[in-house]
Amino acid sequence: MTAEEFHQRIWEILEDLNSDYFQVVAAPAPEPQAVAAAEALTGVPVPAYYSAFCQRTNGLCVMAREEFWPEAELYSVGPAWTFWRGVVLLGFDTPDLPEWASVTAVCERLTDYEVTGVLPLMKVVGDGNIIWGLDKSGTPVEVAEGEITRLPADFTAFYEEQIRGLAERQSEMMERIAEQKRPAAE
């Protein structure tokens, strides 16, 4: 896949999202040393298409807007999906990139599960149990609580699946909030 094809496909996937309900943010482009550091840490070469993508949109995060899906308060309890407010294509370290959107930070977390040889590229915000990325051969993988599963399609297919899931969760959350605001029947 070329850099332009990857970039175009990611933005095609995002076209159907209602910008009233979601915000899309990214950090500035990383220095080449940040990409090289991620390669050294993982032992996995960063595909040229992903490196080029991060030069335009580093750490691309699609997050539900606070007014339509408020962030959970500390010690909140609820169904797991109610905490999954965003999807992030992980970026390479820059001063403006939050740690939770960093390839390096997620890679270090994977080592807690003794997972090596995986370049983490995507996660659902609020769900630290599953990471998507590439193995040393460039094959898409899913890492769920330390278990690595090779995936049958290209990486963008899994991004599209997660964005669709995010849109569905956002719709369910708005229904849930509307229900909570309705007065109780007497």
Side-chain angles (χ1 to χ4, degrees), residues 90-104:
L90 301 170
F92 301 100
D93 294 340
T94 69
D96 294 326
L97 183 73
E99 185 175 305
W100 53 263
S102 163
V103 167
T104 304

Side-chain angles (χ1 to χ4, degrees), residues 4 6-7 28 42 61 70 72 78 93 95 98-99 112-114 116-117 127-128 151 165 171:
E4 193 54 41
F6 183 79
H7 188 85
T42 63
C61 180
D93 294 340
E99 185 175 305
D112 292 343
Y113 289 109
E114 298 180 4
T116 59
D127 180 7
L151 302 173
S171 181

Side-chain angles (χ1 to χ4, degrees), residues 27-185:
E31 296 294 327
Q33 305 90 289
V35 178
E39 288 179 328
L41 183 63
T42 63
V44 179
V46 175
Y49 67 82
Y50 200 81
S51 180
F53 180 79
C54 287
Q55 290 302 310
R56 295 163 89 174
T57 48
N58 186 34
L60 180 67
C61 180
V62 178
M63 185 77 74
R65 293 187 183 275
E66 183 75 23
E67 60 267 31
F68 297 107
W69 187 342
E71 187 172 353
E73 294 180 21
L74 191 60
Y75 306 115
S76 293
V77 176
W81 70 266
T82 62
F83 298 90
W84 302 340
R85 306 177 53 236
V87 174
V88 63
L89 289 174
L90 301 170
F92 301 100
D93 294 340
T94 69
D96 294 326
L97 183 73
E99 185 175 305
W100 53 263
S102 163
V103 167
T104 304
V106 172
C107 184
E108 289 170 356
R109 214 175 69 235
L110 288 177
T111 60
D112 292 343
Y113 289 109
E114 298 180 4
V115 171
T116 59
V118 172
L119 175 69
L121 298 179
M122 178 178 66
K123 70 177 194 169
V124 171
V125 176
D127 180 7
N129 293 324
I130 301 176
I131 303 296
W132 292 265
L134 302 174
D135 67 12
K136 290 181 181 185
S137 71
T139 302
V141 296
E142 176 183 280
V143 181
E145 297 182 4
E147 294 296 319
I148 302 171
T149 304
R150 295 182 84 162
L151 302 173
D154 79 37
F155 179 76
T156 59
F158 300 100
Y159 182 69
E160 182 173 18
E161 181 181 297
Q162 293 309 310
I163 291 296
R164 279 195 196 134
L166 175 62
E168 290 169 10
R169 291 191 302 274
Q170 190 276 331
S171 181
E172 289 178 43
M173 181 55 88
M174 287 185 64
E175 289 174 19
R176 190 178 174 102
I177 290 169
E179 259 180 39
Q180 292 172 351
K181 290 182 178 180
R182 286 189 197 116

